[in-house]
C-alpha cells in the first residue's frame, strides 16, 4: 500500500510540473436546468479538442482547465438533450450552462463525447436511479418509495416483505449513512418501516454508494445514500398534488425573486385515522360499555430556500420534519366505576440545515454546512380508574413514559479544488456533537388518598460525545487509460473521557481496456462510532441509537472490491465482486431485547462480534429511451460470530441471501400511457427455530419443607439461523394514464402489488394443533393489493 | 384507448384472493429428533429426601413431548470412590420422581451418572459448595429494622402491613466465584386455621411477603421467576456482598394482631454451584422471552450434562427466621 501511494504521489508531482508549463485558463460555473434553474448534479462537460472532461459536483458546480483558444464543449446529463457550446478562452472564465429536458420519448443519443459513462468513473459500487424512473415504478398502495426502489438494485436488500429498510452487502441497517441535503438522518421510516420518510416529489436526486467509498464519506460501514431535495424553481411557480389510498402529498416550488431566490415546500399525510374513525364510532355506538379509539397517522414536511447571493455565493436553508403517531385508547364504564387505558407510541425526526457555497478562485470551491438533526421516540401508557361512590369518588392513576433519542449539532466544511485536469482535489473536515439519550422512563402514580403519589424517572443517563473527522482525496488521471482516487479519512471520537481514533485509507482504481470497457478495483477501511441496538427480526422505532463507549468498541470494516464495466450503446453493464470484513458488530446478548433494556444499562445487554460478507453483483441497466429498466442479480454470503451467541460458532446473518434477483421494465407507449413492471426473487431469510423440547424442574423448596419439583417445558432452539424461510418472489405492475389540459397534467396511476398473489412468508410460529401435535408454519400477510392514485402537475 | 382502461380491471380479476386463506404459506419440515436424557437433580449435604427426574427430550413436532423415564438409574459417586445408586421403578414415587432418602453427602467432587435402556448414558460433575450458615467460615449476617407499619383492627378482622429494611451480608471467597439464591417465604400455621362452613364468608387469615432489592438494576442481584428468588453473584471480588440492601414488604390479616404479627418471615439462603446458577438463570430467560417476530435473540438452554440436557447441581442451605413482635 505504501509503495502504491509513493508511485501515485510521484505521478502527482510530474503531472503538476507538466501543467505548470502549459498556458491554460480555468473555465468554471454551474450547469442547470433551462426551465427551472435547478442545479444538475453529476452533469458532464467534455472538450473534444483537448480530450478532457469534468463533471459537476454535489452543488452543480464544475471547473476545468483549458488552453487559450476556441473550444467546442459538449454538455450532457441523463434525460436532457446534450448541448454543444463554442467557447473562446483568453483568460479564466466563469460560465453557466443550461440544458433542456426532452429526450424522453425518442431513443437517447448517447454521444461519443459522453464523459461520465460507467466505465469512465473511478468510483465503483455506486448506483443512481433517475427520479423520473423512481416515480414510474409500481408502488404498494400507490405510494412511491425511494428506498424500496433501491432495494431492486444488486447488493441492496430489503429487510422483509413491504419494509423499506436497507441491507447493503451483508451490512446492518445502522451501517447506512443516509444524508438528506447534507444532514444525516437516524430514522427513515414511517408506518413501522413500511414507507420511507422521503417524499419523492420533493427529491431531485439520490445515489447510493455500496463500496469503494471516497475519503469524503465516513461514519458508517456499508453504504452512503445521498438524497438531495429540489432547490426550487427559479423561473416560475410549479407544483404537484398526489392522492393515493395511503396518503396525500403536495409540492410547490417557485421563485421568490426570479433567477435570484427560490423556494420549495412539500408535505405528506396519511388519512388512515380519518378512514378508520367512522368504523370505530359505529362499533362504539353498538357497545356503549367499552369505547375504543385507535389512532395512527404520519406526516412529513420538507422546505428549502435557495438564494444566489452573488456570482460566487449561494445559500441554501432547508428543513425536514416527520412524525408517526400511533395510539390505542379504551374506556370501560360499569356505572360505579370507570377504567381507562391509553397506549401511545410516536417517533419523529427533525432536521435543519444551512449551507453556504462559495467560489474562492476559479479552481477552488467550498461548501459550509451547519446542521441540526434530532430523532425522538416515545412510548407510554396511562391507566386510570375512578370509583364513583354515593358520597365521594376516588381516582387512581398511573402513567409511564419511555423516551429515547439522539440529537446532533454538526458543522462541516468541504473544499473542491480542480488543481489541474489530472488532479481533482477534495479536502475538508467535520465536527459533530452527539447527545444520545438511550432511554429514560418516567413513572407517575396517584393511589387515591391512602398512599403517597409516585413521580420518578429511571435510566435518564444520557451520553455526550464529540466526533471529528478530516479528509483529503485526489482524483488523478494517471495516464490516458488509468485513473485513481486516493484518499485518507481520519476520525476521532471523544466520549466519557475515552478517545477513539482511526485512520482510514481509501483507494479506487480504473483501468480502461482497449475494447472500451474498464476494470475497476477499490479498497476502503471504514469506522463507525454509533451502533443501533435492534432486534434482528424486525426494525422498529424502539431500536436504540447508542455510542461507542469505554465498554463498547466502535464498528470497523475493510472492503475490497473488483469489477468490470462497459456501456453497450444505451445499455450499461457492470459486474462486481466484493469481500467485506467487519469488527465491533453489536447484538443483544442471548435473551435480551428492547423490553429488558428499558430499565437496565444497555451496555450490559449487548455483545460484540465480527462478520464477513462477500459476493458477486451483476447489473444491466438502460436509463434512457422509451423502454428503460434494469436486470440485477446478486450471489452473496454474510456470516457473523459472537463469542457468547450460538456457543461462539459462526452463523449466517439473518439477511444472508444467497440469490437476489430483480427485473425492472418501464415503457412509454405514448405521451399519455406509461407502463412499468417489476419482478423480484430472493432466497428465504435465515431463521432460528425451536427444534426439540425437554422437561426441566425446579425444587419448590431448597431447604427441605417439601421435596416436590415444579416442571416446565423448555424449547431447545436450533443453532442460530440454521433454517430458511421459503424463497421470496413477487411481481408488481403499474399503468399510468396521462392527460394534459390548460397547463395541468393529470395522471391516473393503477398498480397491483404482488400481481400473481404469491403469499410470501412474513413470520413463522410454533402452532399447537387440535390433536396436541405441533407444527411450525410460515405465515404471509401480503396478498395481491390493487391500488389507484391520482396525480396533478402544474 | 378505451380498451386499455379494462386492463387494470382484468388484472384485478386475474389475481383473485382465494390463496390468502388463513395466511399459511407452508409448514416447515424438521429432521428426525434423536432423543436424549434430560436430568434434573439438585442435592444438598443433608436431607430426608431428594428428588431426581429424568425425561427424554422430544422433537418439536412430537405430539407426546418430553416423557419421564421411570427406568432411569442414578449413580452418585464421590471422588473417594464412595457411591450411591437409586432409581428404577422401585424408587419411583408418583407425582414426585425418583426419590433418594436419608441423604448424607460429604464435601468434595461428585459425579452423577444416569443410565436408561435405549438411551446413551449421561454424566455430570459438581463440587459441593461450602456450608452456608450463621456461624463458621462461610457465614452470612444480617440486620433488620421496621421502616413502616400499619395496623387496622375491627371486630372481625385485623390487617397488618409492614415495610422492613433488611440488610444481608453474604460470604465472599477471594479465590472463587460465589453464587447464592435468596428467597422469602411466609410460613403460616395453616392447621390452626379452620375453614368457615359458610363458603361465601371471606377468608379471615392470610398474608404474603415480598422481598425486593432496594437498588434498581443491581447487576449482582437478579430476580429469577422460576426459583421465585434472587440469584446473587459476587461480580467484584472484594466486599461485593457486604450489606446487600433489601426491603421486605409484609401484609397479613387474621383474627388477632398478636397471632399474625408473631408469624416468622422465613428467608431461605442457599450457596449454589456456578452451574446451577447458570442453569436457572438461562431457564428463566428462556421462559420469559417469546419466539415471535418481536422477540429477543433465541436462547440455548445451559446444561452441564454431557450428551444430554438438564442440570446436576449441588448447594448448601440455611434459614433465617425473622420475627417481629
Amino acid at each position: 500500500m505504501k509503495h502504491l501511494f509513493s508511485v501515485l504521489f510521484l505521478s502527482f508531482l510530474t503531472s503538476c510540473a507538466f501543467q505548470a508549463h502549459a498556458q491554460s485558463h480555468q473555465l468554471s460555473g454551474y450547469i442547470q436546468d433551462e426551465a427551472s434553474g435547478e442545479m444538475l448534479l453529476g452533469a458532464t462537460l467534455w472538450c473534444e479538442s483537448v480530450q478532457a472532461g469534468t463533471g459537476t459536483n454535489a452543488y452543480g458546480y464544475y471547473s476545468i482547465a483549458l488552453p487559450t483558444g476556441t473550444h467546442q464543449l459538449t454538455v450532457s446529463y441523463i434525460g436532457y438533450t446534450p448541448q454543444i457550446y463554442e467557447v473562446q478562452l483568453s483568460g479564466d472564465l466563469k460560465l453557466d450552462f443550461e440544458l433542456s429536458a426532452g429526450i424522453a420519448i425518442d431513443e437517447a443519443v448517447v454521444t461519443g463525447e459522453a464523459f461520465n459513462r460507467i466505465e469512465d468513473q473511478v468510483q465503483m459500487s455506486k448506483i443512481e436511479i433517475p427520479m423520473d424512473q423512481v416515480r414510474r415504478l409500481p408502488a404498494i398502495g400507490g405510494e412511491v418509495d425511494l428506498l424500496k426502489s433501491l432495494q431492486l438494485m444488486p447488493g441492496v436488500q430489503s429487510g422483509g416483505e413491504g419494509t423499506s429498510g436497507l441491507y447493503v452487502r451483508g451490512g446492518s441497517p445502522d451501517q447506512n449513512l443516509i444524508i438528506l441535503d447534507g444532514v444525516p438522518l437516524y430514522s427513515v421510516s414511517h408506518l413501522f418501516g413500511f414507507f420511507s420518510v422521503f417524499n419523492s416529489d420533493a427529491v431531485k436526486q439520490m445515489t447510493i454508494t455500496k463500496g469503494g467509498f471516497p475519503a469524503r464519506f465516513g461514519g458508517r460501514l456499508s453504504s452512503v445514500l445521498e438524497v438531495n431535495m429540489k432547490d426550487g424553481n427559479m423561473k416560475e411557480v410549479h407544483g404537484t398534488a398526489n392522492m393515493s389510498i395511503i396518503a396525500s402529498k403536495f409540492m410547490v416550488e417557485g421563485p421568490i425573486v426570479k433567477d435570484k431566490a427560490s423556494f420549495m415546500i412539500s408535505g405528506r399525510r396519511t388519512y388512515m385515522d380519518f378512514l378508520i374513525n367512522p368504523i370505530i364510532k359505529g362499533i362504539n355506538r353498538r357497545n356503549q360499555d367499552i369505547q375504543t379509539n385507535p389512532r395512527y397517522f404520519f406526516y412529513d414536511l420538507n422546505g428549502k430556500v435557495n438564494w444566489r447571493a452573488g456570482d460566487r455565493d449561494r445559500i441554501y436553508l432547508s428543513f425536514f420534519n416527520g412524525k408517526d403517531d400511533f395510539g390505542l385508547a379504551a374506556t370501560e364504564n360499569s356505572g360505579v366505576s370507570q377504567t381507562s387505558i391509553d397506549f401511545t407510541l410516536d417517533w419523529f425526526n427533525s432536521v435543519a440545515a444551512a449551507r453556504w457555497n462559495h467560489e474562492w478562485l476559479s479552481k477552488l470551491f467550498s461548501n459550509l454546512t451547519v446542521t441540526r438533526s434530532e430523532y425522538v421516540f416515545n412510548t407510554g401508557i396511562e391507566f386510570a380508574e375512578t370509583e364513583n361512590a354515593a358520597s365521594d369518588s376516588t381516582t387512581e392513576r398511573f402513567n409511564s413514559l419511555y423516551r429515547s433519542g439522539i440529537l446532533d449539532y454538526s458543522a462541516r466544511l468541504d473544499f473542491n479544488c480542480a488543481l489541474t485536469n489530472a488532479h481533482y482535489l477534495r479536502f475538508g473536515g467535520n465536527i459533530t456533537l452527539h447527545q444520545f439519550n438511550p432511554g429514560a422512563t418516567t413513572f407517575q402514580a396517584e393511589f387515591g388518598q391512602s398512599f403517597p403519589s409516585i413521580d420518578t424517572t429511571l435510566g435518564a443517563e444520557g451520553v455526550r460525545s464529540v466526533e471529528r473527522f478530516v479528509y483529503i482525496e485526489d482524483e488523478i488521471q494517471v495516464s490516458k487509460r488509468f485513473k485513481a482516487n486516493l484518499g485518507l479519512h481520519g476520525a476521532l471520537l471523544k466520549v466519557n473521557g475515552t478517545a477513539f481514533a482511526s485512520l482510514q485509507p481509501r483507494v479506487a482504481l480504473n483501468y480502461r481496456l482497449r475494447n472500451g470497457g474498464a476494470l475497476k478495483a477499490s479498497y476502503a477501511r471504514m469506522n463507525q462510532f454509533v451502533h443501533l441496538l435492534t432486534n434482528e427480526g424486525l426494525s422498529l422505532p424502539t431500536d436504540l441509537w447508542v455510542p461507542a463507549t469505554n465498554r463498547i468498541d466502535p464498528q470497523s470494516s475493510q472492503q475490497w472490491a473488483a469489477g468490470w464495466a462497459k456501456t453497450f450503446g444505451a445499455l450499461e453493464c457492470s459486474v462486481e465482486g466484493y469481500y467485506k470484513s467487519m469488527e465491533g458488530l453489536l447484538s443483544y446478548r442471548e435473551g435480551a431485547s428492547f423490553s429488558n433494556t428499558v430499565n437496565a444499562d444497555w451496555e450490559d445487554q449487548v455483545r460484540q462480534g465480527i462478520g464477513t460478507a462477500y459476493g458477486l453483483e451483476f447489473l444491466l441497466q438502460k436509463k434512457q429511451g422509451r423502454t428503460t429498466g434494469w436486470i440485477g442479480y446478486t450471489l452473496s454470503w454474510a456470516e457473523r460470530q459472537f463469542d457468547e451467541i450460538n456457543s461462539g460458532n459462526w452463523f449466517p446473518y439473518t439477511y444472508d441471501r444467497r440469490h437476489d434477483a430483480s427485473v425492472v421494465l418501464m415503457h412509454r407507449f405514448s405521451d399519455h400511457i406509461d407502463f412499468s413492471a417489476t419482478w423480484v426473487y430472493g432466497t428465504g431469510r435465515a431463521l432460528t427455530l425451536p427444534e426439540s423440547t425437554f422437561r426441566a424442574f425446579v425444587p419448590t423448596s431448597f431447604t427441605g419443607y417439601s421435596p416436590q419439583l415444579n416442571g416446565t417445558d423448555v424449547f431447545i432452539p436450533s443453532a442460530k439461523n440454521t433454517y430458511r424461510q421459503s424463497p421470496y418472489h413477487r411481481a408488481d405492475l403499474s399503468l399510468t394514464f396521462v392527460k394534459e389540459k390548460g397547463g395541468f397534467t393529470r395522471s391516473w396511476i393503477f398498480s397491483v402489488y404482488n400481481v400473481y398473489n404469491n403469499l410470501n412468508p412474513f413470520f413463522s410460529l410454533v402452532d399447537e394443533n387440535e390433536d396436541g401435535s405441533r407444527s411450525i408454519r410460515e405465515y404471509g400477510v401480503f396478498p395481491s393489493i390493487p391500488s389507484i392514485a391520482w396525480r396533478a402537475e402544474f | 384507448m378505451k380498451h386499455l382502461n379494462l386492463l387494470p380491471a382484468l388484472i384485478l380479476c386475474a389475481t383473485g384472493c382465494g390463496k390468502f386463506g388463513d395466511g399459511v404459506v407452508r409448514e416447515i419440515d424438521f429432521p428426525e429428533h434423536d432423543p436424549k436424557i434430560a436430568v434434573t437433580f439438585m442435592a444438598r449435604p443433608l436431607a430426608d429426601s431428594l428428588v431426581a427426574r429424568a425425561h427424554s427430550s422430544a422433537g418439536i413436532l412430537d405430539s407426546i413431548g418430553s416423557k419421564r423415564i421411570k427406568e432411569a438409574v442414578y449413580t452418585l459417586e464421590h471422588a473417594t470412590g464412595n457411591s450411591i445408586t437409586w432409581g428404577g421403578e422401585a424408587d419411583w414415587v408418583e407425582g414426585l420422581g425418583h426419590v433418594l432418602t436419608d441423604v448424607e453427602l460429604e464435601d468434595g467432587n461428585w459425579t452423577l451418572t444416569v443410565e436408561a435402556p435405549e438411551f446413551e448414558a449421561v454424566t455430570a460433575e459438581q463440587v459441593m459448595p461450602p456450608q452456608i450458615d450463621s456461624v463458621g467460615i462461610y457465614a452470612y449476617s444480617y440486620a433488620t429494622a421496621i421502616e413502616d407499619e400499619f395496623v387496622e383492627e375491627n371486630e372481625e378482622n385485623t390487617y397488618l402491613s409492614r415495610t422492613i429494611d433488611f440488610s444481608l451480608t453474604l460470604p465472599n471467597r477471594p479465590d472463587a466465584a460465589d453464587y447464592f439464591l435468596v428467597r422469602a417465604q411466609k410460613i403460616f400455621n395453616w392447621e390452626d386455621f379452620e375453614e368457615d362452613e359458610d363458603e361465601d364468608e371471606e377468608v379471615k387469615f392470610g398474608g404474603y411477603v415480598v422481598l425486593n432489592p432496594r437498588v434498581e438494576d443491581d447487576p449482582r442481584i437478579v430476580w429469577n421467576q422460576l426459583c421465585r428468588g434472587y440469584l446473587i453473584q459476587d461480580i467484584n471480588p472484594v466486599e461485593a456482598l457486604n450489606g446487600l440492601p433489601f426491603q421486605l414488604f409484609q401484609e397479613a390479616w387474621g383474627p388477632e394482631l398478636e397471632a399474625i404479627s408473631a408469624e416468622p418471615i422465613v428467608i431461605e439462603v442457599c450457596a449454589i454451584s456456578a452451574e446451577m446458577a447458570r442453569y436457572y438463570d438461562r431457564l428463566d430467560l428462556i421462559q420469559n422471552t417469546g419466539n415471535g417476530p418481536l422477540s429477543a435473540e433465541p436462547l440455548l438452554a445451559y446444561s452441564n450434562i454431557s450428551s444430554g440436557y438438564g442440570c446436576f447441581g449441588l448447594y448448601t442451605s440455611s434459614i433465617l427466621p425473622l420475627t417481629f413482635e
Side-chain angles (χ1 to χ4, degrees), chain A residues 742-791:
Chain A
F744 279 85
T745 304
R746 289 160 295 163
S747 310
W748 283 100
I749 303 144
F750 299 92
S751 56
V752 182
Y753 178 87
N754 193 5
V755 69
Y756 58 86
N757 197 27
N758 180 49
L759 207 55
N760 286 296
F762 190 70
F763 61 90
S764 308
L765 286 181
V766 180
D767 288 336
E768 293 272 353
N769 300 319
E770 285 180 4
D771 62 357
S773 63
R774 296 191 190 98
S775 299
I776 297 190
R777 298 193 178 99
E778 292 179 338
Y779 287 84
V781 294
F782 288 90
S784 273
I785 303 174
S787 60
I788 185 168
W790 177 83
R791 178 182 169 86

Side-chain angles (χ1 to χ4, degrees), chain B residues 197-209:
Chain B
E197 287 179 2
D198 184 355
E199 288 184 359
D200 295 334
E201 192 79 12
E202 284 185 21
V203 174
K204 292 178 181 169
F205 194 94
Y208 63 89
V209 172

Side-chain angles (χ1 to χ4, degrees), chain A residues 9 130 175 276 324 354 402 492 545 585 678 724 779 788:
Chain A
F9 184 64
Q175 295 174 355
I276 290 171
D324 284 61
Y402 174 81
L492 177 71
W545 283 98
L585 301 174
T678 60
R724 292 275 172 179
Y779 287 84
I788 185 168

Side-chain angles (χ1 to χ4, degrees), chain A residues 283-599:
Chain A
I283 294 168
N284 286 341
R285 267 198 295 273
R286 279 198 289 275
N287 187 356
Q288 296 285 337
D289 292 341
I290 300 175
Q291 302 284 299
T292 55
N293 180 25
R295 61 181 187 277
Y296 176 77
F297 72 87
F298 71 74
Y299 76 82
D300 45 56
L301 198 62
N302 294 281
K304 193 168 184 179
V305 173
N306 164 25
W307 176 37
R308 292 181 186 174
D311 280 351
R312 292 179 178 274
D313 297 283
R314 283 169 192 248
I315 291 171
Y316 302 89
L317 302 173
S318 59
F319 74 90
F320 164 77
N321 270 306
K323 183 177 183 180
D324 284 61
D325 192 337
F326 172 77
L328 181 63
T331 306
E332 184 176 8
N333 202 332
S334 66
V336 291
S337 71
Q338 180 176 307
T339 307
S340 66
I341 189 163
D342 190 354
F343 171 75
T344 59
L345 179 72
D346 63 79
W347 63 100
F348 75 88
N349 267 301
S350 168
V351 302
R355 289 189 294 168
W356 171 44
N357 288 179
H358 182 70
E359 186 186 352
W360 297 89
L361 304 164
S362 52
K363 291 183 177 184
L364 186 64
F365 174 92
S366 75
N367 174 63
L368 173 68
T369 308
V370 180
T371 66
R372 179 187 185 278
S373 175
E374 185 177 22
Y375 170 66
V376 174
F377 160 72
N378 297 304
T379 181
I381 190 162
E382 183 167 346
F383 174 83
E385 186 170 20
T386 304
E387 299 276 350
N388 296 311
S391 59
D392 197 8
S393 73
T394 57
T395 300
E396 290 187 4
R397 211 181 290 278
F398 171 82
N399 74 63
S400 82
L401 176 68
Y402 174 81
R403 185 181 173 89
S404 76
I406 181 168
L407 173 64
D408 283 1
Y409 289 98
S410 183
R412 176 178 178 134
L413 183 59
D414 300 280
F415 288 95
N416 286 197
C417 179
L419 204 58
T420 69
N421 285 347
H423 289 276
Y424 195 93
L425 206 62
R426 291 182 175 93
F427 56 95
N430 182 90
I431 181 166
T432 302
L433 176 67
H434 299 286
Q435 169 70 49
F436 294 89
N437 297 309
T441 308
T442 305
F443 295 103
Q444 290 177 318
E446 291 173 33
F447 302 108
Q449 293 158 353
S450 308
F451 293 91
S453 298
I454 297 172
D455 188 348
T456 187
T457 300
L458 300 174
E461 287 290 316
V463 180
R464 281 189 177 201
S465 65
V466 182
E467 185 175 349
R468 302 173 180 88
F469 71 77
V470 291
Y471 72 89
I472 183 164
E473 66 173 83
D474 188 10
E475 192 163 317
I476 312 165
Q477 184 78 46
V478 180
S479 70
K480 192 179 175 187
R481 292 190 178 279
F482 185 36
K483 281 185 196 174
N485 186 321
L486 303 181
L488 196 60
H489 183 102
L492 177 71
L493 176 82
K494 280 195 172 174
V495 55
N496 288 346
T498 306
F500 297 100
S502 75
L503 269 183
Q504 303 157 39
R506 314 285 173 80
V507 180
L509 308 171
N510 177 318
Y511 182 76
R512 284 295 295 271
L513 301 168
R514 290 188 187 281
N515 65 4
L519 291 176
K520 298 184 180 188
S522 67
Y523 166 81
R525 182 176 176 83
M526 303 293 280
N527 220 60
Q528 179 170 335
F529 295 122
V530 292
H531 300 271
L532 184 67
L533 261 180
T534 182
N535 185 293
E536 282 186 20
L538 195 62
S539 187
L540 287 173
T542 54
D543 297 345
L544 297 178
W545 283 98
V546 292
T549 67
N550 52 0
R551 291 174 61 191
I552 304 295
D553 291 333
Q555 302 181 60
S556 63
S557 74
Q558 295 189 78
Q559 186 177 161
W560 293 262
W564 167 85
K566 191 178 180 199
T567 302
F568 298 93
L571 290 173
E572 280 183 0
C573 183
S574 68
V575 181
E576 287 188 13
Y578 65 90
Y579 178 85
K580 181 161 66 177
S581 64
M582 297 171 277
E583 292 177 8
L585 301 174
L586 201 71
S587 173
Y588 278 119
R589 65 172 171 76
E590 289 181 340
S593 67
F594 165 75
S595 59
N596 50 15
T597 310
V598 170
N599 292 328

